[in-house]
Amino acid sequence: MTTATAIFPNPLRWALGLWRDQKHRGTIIQIMALVALLLFIGIIIRNTAINLQALGLEIGYDFLTEPANYDINQHLIDYNSLSSHLRATAVGVINTALVSVCGIILATVIGLFAGILRLSKNWLVNRIMYAYVEFGRNVPVLLQILLFHALIIHTLPHPRASLSPMDGVFLSNRGFYVPQPVLEPAAWAILAALVIAAALAWWFAGHAKRVQENTGRHYPVFTINAALIIGLPLLAFFLAGRPIGLDFPQLKGFNYQGGMVLRPEFTALWFALSFYAGAYIAELVRAGILAINRGQTEAAYSLGLKPNWTMRLVILPQAMRVMVPPLISQYLGLIKDSSLAIVIGYMDIVATIGGISLNQTGRALECMSITLFIYLSISLGVSTVMNWYNRRVSLVER
Amino acid sequence: MSAQEKSMSVSDEMMIEMNGVHKWYGQFHVLKNINLTVKRGERIVICGPSGSGKSTLIRCINRLEEHQQGEIIVEGTELTGNLKHIEQIRREVGMVFQHFNLFPHLTVMENCTLAPIWVRHMPKQEAEEVAMNYLRQVQIPEQAEKFPGQLSGGQQQRAAIARSLCMRPKVMLFDEPTSALDPEMIKEVLDIMIELARDGMTMICVTHEMGFAKTVANRVIFMDDGEIIEQNEPEEFFANPKNERTQLFLSQILQH
Amino acid sequence: MKTVQQQYEVGRHPDLPPPLVERGVVKWVRDNFFSDATSIVLTAVALYFLYKVVPPFVEWAFVDAVWNADHRNECRARGEGACWAVLRARIAQFTYGYYPAHLYWRVNTAFVLLFVALAPLLFEHVPGRRYLLWFSLAYPVLAFFLLWGGLGLEPVESAKFGGFLLTIVIGVTGIVGSLPLGILLALGRRSRLLIVHTISMVFIEFVRGVPLITLLFIASTLLNYFLPPGTYFDLLLRVLIMVTLFASAYLAEVIRGGLAGIPKGQFEAADSLGLGYWKSMRLIILPQALHISIPNIVNTFISLYKDTTLVVIVGLADPLGISRATLADSKWQGLSTEIYIAIAVFFFVSCFAMSRYSLYLEKKLHTGH
C-alpha cells in the first residue's frame, strides 16, 4: 500500500500539496490569471472578427489618407474639407492642445487668486471665494460648459450691436473679436531683445547670488530682472520703428472682418474649464498653505524674517511639495475634460477623429483606438513628469 | 551653579519690562495684569499648570501673540503695532519651541544660516562659520549636512537652539523645550541650556524641569489662571512656597 | 490707552471682559473688513462686485420671473425675467424621463427604499442596523425589479428611463458595481504576484488615462462588436458596464490609499494569527482599509454622479438629454439659460450635501470614532 502511493502519488494530494505551498500557490494563481486574461482577449478578438465579417468590414488604417469631407471652423494649420482624416485629426489635436494650454494658464491664475483670497481674513472676500469654490466643484463641468455657452450665445448682443469694452475689442454672440498683431520684418529685433534680456537676467541672478554669498549684500533681483525683461524689448520696439502693428476688426455687413476671433465655442470651453479647474486649484492652494504647520511661520518670525520672506523662503518651498503633484493631476483632468468640447461643437480630438470621422467612415475600431492612443500618450507623459518631480522633491526622513 | 555664580552675571541693565499687561483670546482673559522685569544676564524659569498662560506670556515678548492692554518694553523699545520695532525686537530675541519647528526642507546648516544671511546680511561663508561654531557648542557638528527629519528629537532641539544662537540674540526664550522629548534625550538638551546659562545668556524658560530651575534660575515664577502668583529665588521658592496654590502645584509635580 | 487699574489681591484677579474696542461688533467689523489697507481695498472691490452682480440676477431670477405660462412667447410678453414656466411644464420629464406615468409609484418607492438601504451604511446609530444591512444587500435586486419590471410587474424598457431617475440609476449602479471590482483591483495592484500586479496596474492606468467620454463612445459604438454574435445589450446596459469599469479604476486607487494607510503591524498581526491571505484580508485588513477610505469613496461617488451628465453625449435622456428635447420644442426654444441653471441648482444641492457628509465622516475619522 505504502509503496504504491510512493510510486503513484495521489494526484489530488500532490496538487493540494502544491496549493498549500506558499511559493507554488503564487505561481498557480499567476498562471491561472494569465490563462484567463489570454482567454478573455482571445474571445473578444474572435467575437470582433466574426461580427466584423458579418458586417463586411475589415480593419485597416488606409482611410486616414482619404479626404475627410467635412469642415472645421477653427484650424490653426491649413485645412479644408478635401484634407485627409489624418489632417483633421491633427487639427483636433492642436485644438485640444490650444484649449488645454489656455485653460491650464487661466485656471492656475484663477486658482491662485481664489485660493489666496480664501485665506484672507476679510470676511466678505472669504465668503465670496467660498461660494465660488463650492459652486465650481459641485456643478458638473459639462453643465458649466453649456452654461457659459448659453450665456455667450443668449446674453451677448448680435455683432452689429456688440459690446466694446475697449478700442478694437468687440464682444458679440458670434465670438470675441480682438485686434490681431501683425509682424513686420523688423520684429526680429524685439525677439532678439527679449533673448538678450533673458540672458542678462539669468546672469544677473547668478551674479546677485554670488555677491550675496561673498559680501552679504542683497540686490532686488526680481524688480531689476522684471524691468530688464519688459524694458529691453519695449526699447527695441520703439528703436526699430514700432514693427508690430495691430489689425483691428471692423464691422462689414453682418460680421467682422480682420482682427482675431475667439469663437463662442472656444471661449465657452476655455472659461468653463478654467472656472471648474480653478475651483479645485483654489482648494489645493489653500490646503497646501494650511498644511504648513503654524510653527514654521512662528519660527521664521522669531528669527526676525519679514512676512514676505517667510512666505518665500519657508512657506512656499514647502507648500509647493504638497501642491504640485495634485496640481499636475488637476491639469491632466482639465486636458481630459476638454474632450467634452463635443457638446458645443468645438472641434477637438474626440469631435474630429472620434466623432465625425468615425461617423463618416464607420470605422469605429480604428477611430477609437487612435483617440485612446492619443489620450493615453498624454496621460503617460504627464505622469512621467510627475514621478520625476516627486522623486526630486521628496523630503528626507529618518 | 552656586548662588554667587548665579548672581554674578546679572547686571542692572533692564532687558524686558512688562507693566500691567492684559491679553484676551476672544472673550477669554488669558493674561491678567502681568508685571515682570528681567535684567540683563538674569535667568528666569516660569512654571504652572497647563493653561495658566505661561507660554502666552513669553510669546508676547516677541509678539507672536499680541497683547491688548499694558506695555511691553524690550531693550528700551516698546512693542506696538509698529512693524519696524517688531522686527528689530525679534532679531534680538531668540526663541526655542516645544516642537522644534525646524524647517524640514533645509539642512541643519541651512536652517542655521537662513536668518543670518537674509536678516543680518552676513556673507554665506561667515554665516556658515558662525553656524558651525554653534553646532559644535551644541555637539552636533557632524549633523550639519543632514535634514531635520534624519535627526533624533534631542538632536533636533539642539539644532533649533543653535539656529536661534546664530542670530546672536540678547535674550533667549524657551517654550517647554523638553516636553516633547523622550526621557533619555531631555538631559542632552538641558546640558546645553545650563552651559548657555553659564555663559551669561539672559533666559526665560517655561519648563517643568525643577532640577534645571534649581541649578540655573535666579528667579522662579509660578503662574496660575493668567496671573503671576508667586516669584522668588529658587531655594526659597521650593523650600517655602507662600501661596497655597503654589504649594499644591509643587506637591503635585514633585511627587514623581 | 492707559487706564486706572483696579488693584486685586494676588491670585484673585477676576476674568474681565476685553476692552470695548477689542470685542463685539466693533472688533468683528474691524477685523473682518478694515484690518489693513489691503483689506479695505478688498472690501470695496467685493462690495462693488456684489452690487454689480446680485441685484440684476435677483431681478432676473425672481422679481421679473414668470412662473406660469404655456409657452415661451407668453413669458417674453410679460417681461424680460427668467421663464421658469418651462420647468413647471416639463417637471415630470426632468424627474422620470419617459417612464410611464401610471408607474411613477414604482420609481418613488425605489427612491424612498434607497434611503432605507443607505441609512445603515451611512450612519452607525440606526435602530435595527443589523437587519437593515441585510435589506441593503437585497436592495439592488429589489430596485431592479421595481424599475425594470418583471415578477408580475409590468416591464419597462431601458429606453424609457430618463431625467434624474437616470442620473441616480447610473450613479448608484456605478458605485455599487464598482466596489467589489475596485477592491479586487486594489488588492491586485498591491499583490507581489507579477502578472496579477501588471494586469491590475495596466487596467487602472488605462481607464484613468482616458476621458470618460471615450469610454462611453466605446460603449455606444464598439461594445457590441466584442460580444458573442447574436447577443445584444441595450445602450443603457452598455453604458452601465462602462461607467462601472470607469468607477472601479478610480475606486481601486482610493482603496489602495486606504490599504497603504494601514500600519504594517496589522498585516503582521494577521499573519501571526495564522490566517491565510483571503481571511486576513476579509477579516482584518479590508474592514479597516474601507473604513478609512469611506470619505474618499463618497468623493468618488460625487464625481461619478456629476459625470453621469456625460451620457447625454451618447444619446441617453438624462436631465441634459431632456433639456435638449425641451429646447428643440418650438414652444420652449431659447430658454437654455433657465434650464441649465435649474439643473445646476439640483446638482449643486445634492453634491454639496454629499460633500458635507464626506467632510463630517473625515472629521469623525480624525477624532478616532
Side-chain angles (χ1 to χ4, degrees), chain A residues 33-368:
Chain A
L34 191 62
V35 170
L37 178 72
L38 291 178
L39 216 62
F40 179 71
I41 294 174
I43 290 174
I44 282 190
I45 290 177
R46 182 175 161 275
N47 285 344
T48 311
I50 295 175
N51 285 325
L52 286 178
Q53 205 175 14
L55 291 168
L57 289 173
E58 253 177 69
I59 297 181
Y61 289 86
D62 300 340
F63 74 97
L64 283 175
T65 51
E66 291 163 15
N69 290 323
Y70 60 89
D71 276 318
I72 299 179
N73 59 12
Q74 176 184 310
H75 48 87
L76 296 186
I77 55 173
D78 281 339
Y79 178 86
N80 58 48
S81 60
L82 293 178
S83 307
S84 65
H85 285 291
L86 195 62
R87 199 154 183 94
T89 311
V91 172
V93 171
I94 291 171
N95 283 347
T96 292
L98 180 72
V99 80
S100 300
V101 170
C102 292
I104 283 171
I105 293 170
L106 187 59
T108 311
V109 173
I110 294 176
L112 272 177
F113 264 98
I116 290 168
L117 289 180
R118 187 91 168 69
L119 288 167
S120 152
K121 281 189 210 126
N122 189 308
W123 185 85
L124 199 57
V125 170
N126 191 319
R127 290 292 100 180
I128 291 176
M129 287 307 146
Y130 177 68
Y132 158 60
V133 167
E134 290 300 337
F135 178 84
R137 296 198 306 171
N138 287 316
V139 172
V141 59
L142 182 62
L143 205 49
Q144 294 189 25
I145 294 172
L146 288 169
L147 254 175
F148 272 97
H149 195 236
L151 283 177
I152 292 175
I153 298 284
H154 291 298
T155 61
L156 285 179
H158 292 291
R160 280 168 166 273
S162 55
L163 301 175
S164 183
M166 53 199 272
D167 257 2
V169 176
F170 301 98
L171 310 181
S172 75
N173 62 5
R174 296 272 189 88
F176 295 179
Y177 290 82
V178 293
Q180 180 172 30
V182 182
L183 301 181
E184 284 163 32
W188 64 264
I190 296 169
L191 187 72
L194 191 67
V195 172
I196 292 171
L200 276 176
W202 186 72
W203 172 83
F204 180 68
H207 173 71
K209 193 164 175 236
R210 277 191 300 278
V211 168
Q212 186 196 335
E213 285 183 1
N214 293 331
T215 68
R217 252 187 85 190
H218 293 248
Y219 289 123
V221 178
F222 181 80
T223 322
I224 290 179
N225 277 354
L228 210 59
I229 285 177
I230 296 170
L232 217 54
L234 214 60
L235 193 68
F237 173 73
F238 286 110
L239 286 182
R242 306 187 188 186
I244 297 182
L246 287 175
D247 178 19
F248 284 89
Q250 271 166 359
L251 191 61
K252 293 223 174 104
F254 292 107
N255 219 332
Y256 285 89
Q257 300 283 309
M260 211 161 55
V261 59
L262 304 177
R263 291 177 191 284
E265 308 87 64
F266 172 80
T267 320
L269 188 63
W270 178 31
F271 286 179
L273 290 176
S274 312
F275 190 81
Y276 179 74
Y280 281 91
I281 293 174
E283 275 306 276
L284 291 181
V285 170
R286 189 174 88 100
I289 291 175
L290 286 182
I292 308 311
N293 191 323
R294 172 126 192 88
Q296 294 289 310
T297 318
E298 289 180 353
Y301 282 177
S302 72
L303 287 169
L305 283 172
K306 290 180 180 148
N308 54 349
W309 281 358
T310 301
M311 199 63 180
R312 216 179 95 194
L313 297 171
V314 176
I315 306 300
L316 275 187
Q318 294 185 60
M320 286 303 275
R321 288 161 206 257
V322 184
M323 261 154 39
V324 167
L327 192 61
I328 295 177
S329 307
Q330 212 55 60
Y331 290 161
L332 187 57
L334 189 146
I335 297 172
K336 286 194 284 174
D337 284 339
S338 74
S339 63
L340 300 178
I342 194 168
V343 287
I344 50 170
Y346 179 77
M347 299 299 277
D348 74 330
I349 301 170
V350 172
T352 52
I353 183 75
I356 303 182
S357 287
L358 186 153
N359 285 334
Q360 290 201 347
T361 60
R363 294 187 172 273
L365 206 62
E366 296 86 338
C367 288
M368 284 320 294

Side-chain angles (χ1 to χ4, degrees), chain B residues 16-45:
Chain B
I16 297 169
E17 248 186 289
M18 298 175 96
N19 294 323
V21 172
H22 287 260
K23 173 166 177 62
W24 285 265
Y25 285 129
Q27 291 292 313
F28 178 55
H29 201 169
V30 267
L31 291 183
K32 299 169 183 168
N33 194 25
I34 300 292
N35 293 294
L36 175 71
T37 53
V38 181
K39 294 190 176 122
R40 176 185 288 283
E42 236 187 329
R43 289 166 301 276
I44 292 177
V45 164

Side-chain angles (χ1 to χ4, degrees), chain C residues 24 56 77 91 134 164 172 198 211 299 334:
Chain C
I91 188 76
W134 285 107
F164 295 116
V172 172
T198 314
N299 288 340

Side-chain angles (χ1 to χ4, degrees), chain B residues 9-125:
Chain B
S9 55
V10 180
S11 76
D12 285 339
E13 194 186 336
M14 206 67 92
M15 275 308 286
I16 297 169
E17 248 186 289
M18 298 175 96
N19 294 323
V21 172
H22 287 260
K23 173 166 177 62
W24 285 265
Y25 285 129
Q27 291 292 313
F28 178 55
H29 201 169
V30 267
L31 291 183
K32 299 169 183 168
N33 194 25
I34 300 292
N35 293 294
L36 175 71
T37 53
V38 181
K39 294 190 176 122
R40 176 185 288 283
E42 236 187 329
R43 289 166 301 276
I44 292 177
V45 164
I46 305 179
C47 60
S50 62
S52 57
K54 36 192 200 327
S55 289
T56 311
L57 176 87
I58 66 166
R59 286 158 62 87
C60 280
I61 296 173
N62 64 353
R63 196 118 170 149
L64 289 181
E65 304 283 356
E66 199 176 320
H67 60 284
Q68 279 105 24
Q69 237 179 53
E71 53 176 18
I72 301 179
I73 299 167
V74 181
E75 270 222 302
T77 312
E78 185 177 353
L79 269 173
T80 55
N82 187 329
L83 286 172
K84 273 252 146 28
H85 289 173
I86 294 176
E87 275 157 29
Q88 187 189 332
I89 285 168
R90 282 176 176 165
R91 279 197 293 264
E92 308 303 336
V93 179
M95 185 155 195
V96 174
F97 299 86
Q98 179 178 2
H99 295 287
F100 332 136
N101 294 349
L102 288 167
F103 307 129
H105 61 302
L106 302 176
T107 61
V108 169
M109 177 58 90
E110 287 164 342
N111 264 283
C112 291
T113 55
L114 185 79
I117 289 177
W118 289 93
V119 181
R120 292 251 191 256
H121 297 266
M122 211 183 261
K124 190 176 173 202
Q125 205 185 346

Side-chain angles (χ1 to χ4, degrees), chain C residues 72 76 83 86 327 332-340:
Chain C
R72 173 201 141 95
R76 286 290 168 263
C83 181
V86 60
L327 292 171
W332 302 112
Q333 257 174 9
L335 296 177
S336 47
T337 313
E338 283 89 340
I339 294 176
Y340 294 151

Side-chain angles (χ1 to χ4, degrees), chain C residues 119-139:
Chain C
L121 298 175
L122 298 187
F123 301 100
E124 279 176 21
H125 305 289
V126 180
R129 182 159 184 252
R130 295 183 55 175
Y131 308 102
L132 275 177
L133 277 173
W134 285 107
F135 176 72
S136 310
L137 211 60
Y139 176 78

Side-chain angles (χ1 to χ4, degrees), chain C residues 122-125 129 288 291-292 294-295 357-369:
Chain C
L122 298 187
F123 301 100
E124 279 176 21
H125 305 289
R129 182 159 184 252
Q288 297 185 49
H291 188 67
I292 56 177
I294 288 179
Y357 172 72
S358 125
L359 268 182
Y360 150 81
L361 281 180
E362 221 161 313
K363 281 217 181 94
K364 215 169 70 165
L365 268 181
H366 281 304
T367 53
H369 295 290

